[in-house]
Amino acid sequence: MLASAAAISLENSRLYRELQEREAKIKRLVDANIVGVLISNVEGQIIEANDAFLQMVGYSRDNLTSGRLRWPELTPPEWQAASQRAEAQIRATGVADLFEKEYIRKDGSRVPVLVAAAAVGDTGEIVAFVLDLTERKRAEKEHERLRQAQNDLAYMSRVITVGELGASLAHEIKQPIAAAVLNAKTCVRWLERDPPDVTEACEAASRTVKDATRAANIVDRVRSLYRRGTPQRELVDLNEIIREMIVLLYDTSNRHSIEIRTELAASLPKVMADRVQVQQVLMNLMVNGIEAMKDTGGELTVTSKRTEDGQLMISVSDSGIGLPQEQPDRIFEAFFTTKSQGTGMGLSISRTIVESHGGRLWATANPGQGATFQFTLRNETTASSPSAV
Ligand code: ADP
């Protein structure tokens, strides 16, 4: 008896000590005023709160002691459901999952908060720890605004770049259309023969289809450069994008006596990426390379390969004027340009795009003449494309 009574009293004193320690911890938390703490009764009336909570909602301690503060009234209509859900959870299990909500401040404005709440024993009272999310929400909004601005800039620069390509495109589209007309005429001639040569006519007709498809593809490609929307990841064949860009830039480079060479790795795996954005990066680098050689002519070399660690790497190398002597590292800064008509946005946008794909973009001066820009993309898939060199 005695032994068990002693054991019980020992146990009690241990529990008591633990309780005291827990209380002290909570008291420290309440007094620290880093998080808002409140205790409400069964009716939702706030019967205790620390200064941090009162400051958050803009009420005074007098307002609290006069019994005026009730959390259901501090909760805007659209957050009532979330609060009630948490309350029901507490009644059922003693504790609610972390949840976000807003309180209405005394001045009518709102404060976004994160709440952790639990039952206080079985008194029907609830203790809630409240974290002010105003700063975090502002930062999120700012981040979103910056992202939007960057999207807008990317779109603008894309439109500008594509706009400059109008002339070369007209040329590119004219060529397959002229070929289609020629092949259609040939087809008619074979059919008008007596007797008609259907085999030859069929061949000419299928050549017409091919030409027209090529023209349509060119139009599609241009449209995809203009198209705006949320980034979309898909399996992209980098060699194909390089070839497309060469087609698009053929006329411009020709005008400046620039030869475009390629060294494309065979069987390059496809990569998960936003096609339009990768096109844009490549376009920026190639246009920059062409512009660096526009007074002298030269050679633009585009290569694709797999790096030793399995990433895909594209490099664009020119034999032009070379990187600016002073502050060569500034070229990736937004609005840095050495061109009278430059925007200074191309490389900064390109780097953002590449990095958002988990890759890197950098520049090096060539040993002889010109500059080389290289970027990597993470190869997240092993799907292989049968692309030829
Ligand atoms: P901008 O279009 O004004 O050309 P970019 O961001 O594309 O803006 O490039 C910024 C600057 O980087 C250019 O003005 C130029 O000084 C330099 N630069 C970019 N590409 C090359 C290159 N291939 N050769 C030499 N300098 C380059």
Side-chain angles (χ1 to χ4, degrees), residues 288-289 291-292 318 321-324 331 336-339 342-348 371 373:
N288 274 348
E291 278 175 351
D318 64 67
I321 48 172
L323 300 173
I331 56 173
F336 176 84
T337 180
T338 53
K339 303 168 193 168
T343 60
M345 286 310 296
L347 288 179
S348 119
F373 284 78

Side-chain angles (χ1 to χ4, degrees), residues 5-24:
I8 289 168
S9 102
L10 257 179
E11 177 69 1
N12 278 347
S13 70
R14 196 177 61 80
L15 280 177
Y16 182 69
R17 230 185 15 256
E18 272 180 16
L19 212 63
Q20 264 188 328
E21 274 168 18
R22 200 178 322 155
E23 238 171 48

Side-chain angles (χ1 to χ4, degrees), residues 317-389:
S317 188
D318 64 67
S319 53
I321 48 172
L323 300 173
Q325 294 281 315
E326 281 149 39
Q327 308 163 300
D329 47 341
R330 288 197 59 202
I331 56 173
F332 289 99
E333 283 176 20
F335 306 117
F336 176 84
T337 180
T338 53
K339 303 168 193 168
S340 54
Q341 301 289 319
T343 60
M345 286 310 296
L347 288 179
S348 119
I349 289 170
S350 299
R351 185 171 259 181
T352 309
I353 291 176
V354 170
E355 287 179 353
S356 78
H357 283 77
R360 261 179 6 99
L361 166 66
W362 70 98
T364 41
N366 289 344
Q369 240 190 334
T372 298
F373 284 78
Q374 283 166 296
F375 69 91
T376 55
L377 291 174
R378 248 209 326 261
N379 173 24
E380 287 161 338
T381 161
T382 50
S384 174
S385 83
S387 89
V389 181

Side-chain angles (χ1 to χ4, degrees), residues 185-197:
K185 278 184 183 158
T186 313
C187 175
V188 171
R189 262 206 316 277
W190 288 119
L191 289 174
E192 278 173 353
R193 281 213 174 177
D194 193 15
D197 189 330

